[in-house]
């Protein structure tokens, strides 16, 4: 059984999707623990060729010959889980490079395998998505230059219910400074949760932050991405199955006003 | 790995060793040395030592002082440390005008350009601001409480510096990052706009210095790190302009990386001085701003096993003040000792040179040395300092370097972690 998954390492020779039950992990991971995974020292050190080989063929490495602008990651899914959103977004925006960030080791491995399998069984597709195992609460500036992203996603983040653990929440006034740094002016931050208290918390943080403003309902209705927040991920599908309510807070990154 | 052998208590004791700090008034009117919990002030103009007074009666702090600084105009002085207090003093009368209570131990402090705000950072990575204006009753009470303005998530902030024009505040942490943030007109609401991140160091960043050469009014940022380099940055864009290895090439074979412990420069960047762990003396760096290069210009050694723990060049750039000391001296009721060495700065042919001054040539002379050092017996001080050096080195590393546990040790630590409610 596992042999098929091993074969997937070799340039996606196997197109068999990885089985989730070999990648089970606890839903919770401690964002405060010091990392034992490699981190790029700066955005220029991110290995794009490894993540998006289709977009960075070997000829491109010779920079003198390259006149075309170098594509950069534009969408980031923070806490991408099993990769559901990335897979849905990939076909919706085939020219945009997207990256998922996941702290849990096994889960990020699963997403890697899933992407490789999808690329093998759908030639030419899914080349624009990838995953990296990292702690996005500490290392966003290591991966993204100022204003690089046009969309950031925070889907069903860990609620950290206890008050003493609120500081571990991925959305906070302090961390929004860094997310605002990575997002371009006009970029959009999408958050959704099925926990009402967390939904209020995230909405309040965004409302109180001077670099974000709420997006009016009419615009949200026209945005094809909004619907994916509930339908595209495993977590979202589970909530829908159980008939639960979801709470969204979708804001735009704006320039500072005195 | 060494960490496995050290017991938890040993690590705690080692991190409690605080290096001696020195700060000189921008116009060389006074010099302050912080050693352990004591603040020692010498008035250079009046040629006399100062005894400090504040409302709480203590001559300083009740625990190790971790950061001191004067403001740019020389009107104010701030001190902060492990007693979770930030004390603000008038630099002429040396009265304590304000005591700010922090939630956690303070690791860095800085005063804004116009002297109306003091920012300080705690060991949890949060930077706070407190307003100094209007200590009268008309000021709303909430303005007196420190407000958080920004944070380096779960990282220890090692230093805070304001840009010379006061528009930016730079904060450096142990996770190799330097964050340059726009300091707003009303910082009490937070400093949310990040100007840039200066990323490139491969170990903790220990010190920062802004320089403003005449041809480049926006200025540059210099940083020193545990990776043994000093780097030059265009802080508006976060771009790394130059890197200078503070080590001789043959020393890198040993595999150890002596950390750059402090950096100080003249305002125009013509004189840049750094102190390095285990290096006896200081290094003068030369920076060519148009060529964007940074290199070691001169090595100034100081005899007597002298490894400075803190440096300061005044705005007048007449002298370099250095101190060596640590707070863990075996206290038998006697004064804690430190060693102060001063160099005079002379400019010849457009280049700066340092001349190490003998004790009797030091401004303030024996009086200053005996006040700031705690003694004028150099031999006594030097023999005592030799024993504190290794403790200081391990303190810096234990505090700022991430512990690398083997996977067995990591699993062992996880097993002992108890997620259940504490049994009281």
């Amino acid at each position: 059984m596992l042999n098929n998954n091993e074969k997937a390492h070799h340039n996606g020779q196997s197109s068999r999707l990885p089985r989730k039950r070999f990648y089970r992990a606890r839903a919770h991971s401690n964002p405060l623990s010091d990392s034992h995974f490699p981190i790029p020292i700066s955005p220029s050190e991110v290995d794009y060729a490894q993540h998006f080989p289709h977009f960075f063929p070997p000829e491109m490495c010779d920079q003198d010959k390259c006149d075309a602008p170098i594509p950069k990651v534009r969408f980031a899914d923070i806490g991408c889980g099993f990769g559901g959103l990335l897979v849905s977004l990939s076909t919706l925006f085939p020219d945009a490079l997207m990256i998922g960030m996941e702290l849990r080791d096994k889960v990020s491995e699963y997403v890697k395998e899933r992407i490789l399998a999808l690329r093998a069984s759908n030639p030419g597709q899914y080349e624009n998505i990838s995953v990296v195992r990292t702690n996005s609460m500490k290392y966003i500036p290591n991966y993204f230059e100022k204003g690089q992203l046009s969309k950031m996603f925070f889907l069903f983040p860990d609620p950290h219910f206890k008050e003493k653990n609120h500081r571990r929440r991925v959305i906070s006034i302090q961390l929004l400074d860094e997310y605002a740094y990575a997002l371009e002016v006009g970029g959009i931050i999408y958050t959704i949760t099925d926990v009402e208290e967390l939904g209020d918390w995230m909405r309040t943080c965004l409302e109180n932050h001077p670099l974000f403003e709420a997006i009016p309902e009419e615009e949200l209705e026209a945005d094809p991405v909004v619907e994916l927040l509930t339908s595209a991920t495993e977590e979202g599908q589970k909530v829908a199955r159980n008939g639960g309510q979801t709470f969204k807070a979708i804001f735009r990154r704006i320039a500072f006003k005195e | 790995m060494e960490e496995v052998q050290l017991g938890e208590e040993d690590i705690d004791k080692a991190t409690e060793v605080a290096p001696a700090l020195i700060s000189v008034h921008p116009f060389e009117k006074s010099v302050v040395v912080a050693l352990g919990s004591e603040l020692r002030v010498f008035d250079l103009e009046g040629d006399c030592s100062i005894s400090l007074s504040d409302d709480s009666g203590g001559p300083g702090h009740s625990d190790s002082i971790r950061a001191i600084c004067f403001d740019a105009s020389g009107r104010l002085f701030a001190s902060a440390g492990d007693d979770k207090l930030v004390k603000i003093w008038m630099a002429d009368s040396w009265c304590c005008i304000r005591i700010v209570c922090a939630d956690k131990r303070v690791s860095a402090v800085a005063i804004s350009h116009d002297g109306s705000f003091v920012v300080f950072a705690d060991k949890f990575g949060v930077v706070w601001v407190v307003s100094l204006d209007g200590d009268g009753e008309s000021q709303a009470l909430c303005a007196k409480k420190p407000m958080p303005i920004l944070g380096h998530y779960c990282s220890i902030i090692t230093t805070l510096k304001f840009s010379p024009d006061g528009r930016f505040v730079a904060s450096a942490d142990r996770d190799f990052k330097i964050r340059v943030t726009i300091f707003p007109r009303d910082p009490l609401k937070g400093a949310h706009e990040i100007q840039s991140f200066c990323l490139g160091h491969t170990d903790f960043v220990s010190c920062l210095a802004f320089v403003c050469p005449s041809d480049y009014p926006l200025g540059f940022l210099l940083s020193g790190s545990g990776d043994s380099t000093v780097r030059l940055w265009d802080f508006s864009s976060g771009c790394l302009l130059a890197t200078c290895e503070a080590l001789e090439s043959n020393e890198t074979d040993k595999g150890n990386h002596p950390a750059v412990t402090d950096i100080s420069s003249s305002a125009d960047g013509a004189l840049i001085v750094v102190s390095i762990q285990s290096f006896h003396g200081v290094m003068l760096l030369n920076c060519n701003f148009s060529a964007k290069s940074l290199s070691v210009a001169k090595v100034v050694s100081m005899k007597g096993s002298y490894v400075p723990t803190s440096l300061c060049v005044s705005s007048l750039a007449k002298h370099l003040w250095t101190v060596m000391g640590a707070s863990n001296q075996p206290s038998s009721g006697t004064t804690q000792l430190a060693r102060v060495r001063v160099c005079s700065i002379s400019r010849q042919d457009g280049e700066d040179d340092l001349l190490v001054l003998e004790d009797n040539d030091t401004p303030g002379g024996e009086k200053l040395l005996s006040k700031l050092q705690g003694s004028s017996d150099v031999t006594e001080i030097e023999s005592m300092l030799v024993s504190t050096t290794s403790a200081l080195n391990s303190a810096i590393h234990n505090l700022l370097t991430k512990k690398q546990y083997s996977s067995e040790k990591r699993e062992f630590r996880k097993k002992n972690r108890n997620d259940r409610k504490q049994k009281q």
Side-chain angles (χ1 to χ4, degrees), chain A residues 4-17:
Chain A
N4 285 334
N5 291 329
E6 279 167 37
K7 278 196 205 141
H9 282 294
H10 306 292
N11 297 326
Q13 279 167 16
S14 162
S15 56
R16 194 178 152 152
L17 287 171

Side-chain angles (χ1 to χ4, degrees), chain A residues 14-193:
Chain A
S14 162
S15 56
R16 194 178 152 152
L17 287 171
R19 306 273 298 275
K20 263 196 212 154
R21 58 184 228 255
F22 301 120
Y23 296 88
R24 275 292 166 230
R26 289 172 67 219
H28 175 83
S29 193
N30 186 1
L32 300 180
S33 70
D34 274 338
S35 51
H36 9 272
F37 38 81
I39 299 150
I41 284 290
S42 71
S44 54
E45 296 206 3
V46 174
D47 191 352
Y48 273 84
Q50 189 222 346
H51 287 289
F52 309 104
H54 180 87
F55 285 83
F56 291 85
E59 325 62 274
M60 224 175 139
C61 296
D62 192 350
Q63 283 186 339
D64 293 333
K65 290 186 191 158
C66 180
D67 288 326
I70 300 172
K72 293 188 176 154
V73 168
R74 299 288 278 150
F75 299 176
D77 184 359
I78 310 298
C80 64
F82 292 94
L85 180 70
L86 283 173
V87 170
S88 305
L89 283 173
S90 173
T91 42
L92 208 55
F93 299 89
D95 297 321
L97 293 184
M98 315 173 191
I99 199 141
M101 299 183 127
E102 175 55 53
L103 185 59
R104 292 170 289 175
D105 193 12
K106 284 198 198 132
V107 178
S108 61
E109 275 307 303
Y110 173 88
V111 181
K112 263 193 213 143
E113 304 288 332
R114 184 177 180 183
I115 294 173
L116 286 171
L118 283 169
R119 286 177 182 175
S121 53
N122 301 281
Q125 285 188 301
Y126 302 105
E127 295 289 344
N128 58 339
I129 55 172
S130 186
V131 69
V132 67
R133 188 197 167 203
T134 189
N135 183 347
S136 42
M137 290 169 82
K138 290 182 88 156
Y139 303 116
I140 290 263
N142 294 65
Y143 285 93
F144 306 118
E145 294 167 1
K146 188 173 187 178
Q148 178 177 330
L149 301 175
S150 56
K151 292 190 197 297
M152 273 182 104
F153 297 91
F154 296 83
L155 269 50
F156 303 97
D158 192 331
H160 291 292
F161 290 107
K162 291 185 198 165
E163 214 169 299
K164 69 177 170 98
N165 286 338
H166 283 182
R167 67 196 173 135
R168 299 191 199 181
R169 287 181 165 172
V170 72
I171 298 282
S172 67
I173 289 273
Q174 179 186 317
L175 284 169
L176 281 172
D177 290 354
E178 292 194 9
Y179 306 150
Y181 168 85
L183 272 171
E184 62 185 6
V185 173
I188 304 176
I189 183 171
Y190 299 82
T191 72
I192 185 173
T193 178

Side-chain angles (χ1 to χ4, degrees), chain B residues 134-371:
Chain B
D135 273 328
E137 306 84 52
S138 53
Q139 191 75 354
L141 272 168
C142 56
K144 296 211 169 220
K145 212 179 62 152
M147 301 298 292
I149 57 168
L150 63 96
H152 287 229
Y153 192 69
C154 283
S155 192
I156 297 173
I157 292 184
T158 51
T159 178
L160 282 171
K161 285 271 161 40
F162 278 95
S163 62
D165 56 7
R167 285 169 54 213
F168 301 100
V169 59
S171 42
D173 67 22
R174 73 138 186 191
D175 282 293
F176 326 170
K177 290 207 189 74
I178 300 166
R179 168 175 161 167
V180 180
T181 316
I182 294 174
F183 193 68
R185 256 183 283 272
D186 184 10
L188 294 172
K189 296 200 186 123
H192 297 289
E193 262 198 292
I194 301 175
Q195 176 67 25
S196 70
F197 277 95
C198 297
L199 304 177
H201 276 296
T202 55
D203 207 336
F204 61 83
V205 182
S206 51
C207 48
L208 291 174
F210 277 98
V211 289
C212 220
S214 44
D215 298 336
Y216 299 89
L218 280 170
F220 300 93
L221 182 63
L222 287 162
S223 60
S225 158
D227 63 8
S228 309
T229 64
V230 177
R231 296 184 195 236
L232 177 73
W233 310 88
D234 167 11
F235 61 85
S236 301
S237 62
C239 196
L240 172 63
L241 300 173
T243 304
C244 174
E245 296 281 342
L247 287 175
E248 316 277 297
S249 49
N250 54 359
E251 283 175 44
T252 51
D253 301 333
K254 289 184 201 158
N256 60 344
H257 289 271
V260 173
T261 47
D262 205 357
I263 186 168
S264 190
S265 65
S266 60
D268 61 1
L271 174 81
I272 302 168
V273 193
V274 293
S275 58
I276 302 162
Q277 234 177 359
S278 313
F279 181 75
H280 300 254
V282 297
M283 276 200 199
L284 261 183
L285 300 183
N286 175 56
C287 187
N288 186 329
F289 294 102
S290 52
K292 309 282 189 284
S293 71
L294 189 60
S295 55
V296 178
K298 190 175 177 206
V299 165
V300 179
S301 26
M302 293 169 169
K303 57 189 199 305
S305 310
Y306 187 71
V307 180
T309 49
S310 176
L311 308 170
C312 197
V313 175
S314 70
S315 305
L316 297 177
K318 286 206 307 216
H319 296 101
L320 165 72
W321 297 78
T322 73
V323 70
M324 176 185 180
S327 64
N328 69 333
Q329 297 159 31
S331 53
S332 45
T334 52
T335 340
Q336 304 261 298
L337 300 175
R339 182 83 177 98
V340 173
R341 306 288 307 264
V342 186
C343 303
S344 67
I345 299 168
S346 57
R347 188 164 289 195
Q348 279 174 336
D349 307 322
E351 276 189 14
D352 279 305
D353 199 7
L354 288 182
L355 179 67
V356 183
L357 297 174
E358 295 300 321
D359 284 358
N360 36 13
D361 292 329
T362 308
E366 291 295 327
K367 256 204 225 170
L368 174 141
L369 289 173
S370 119
K371 164 70 180 180

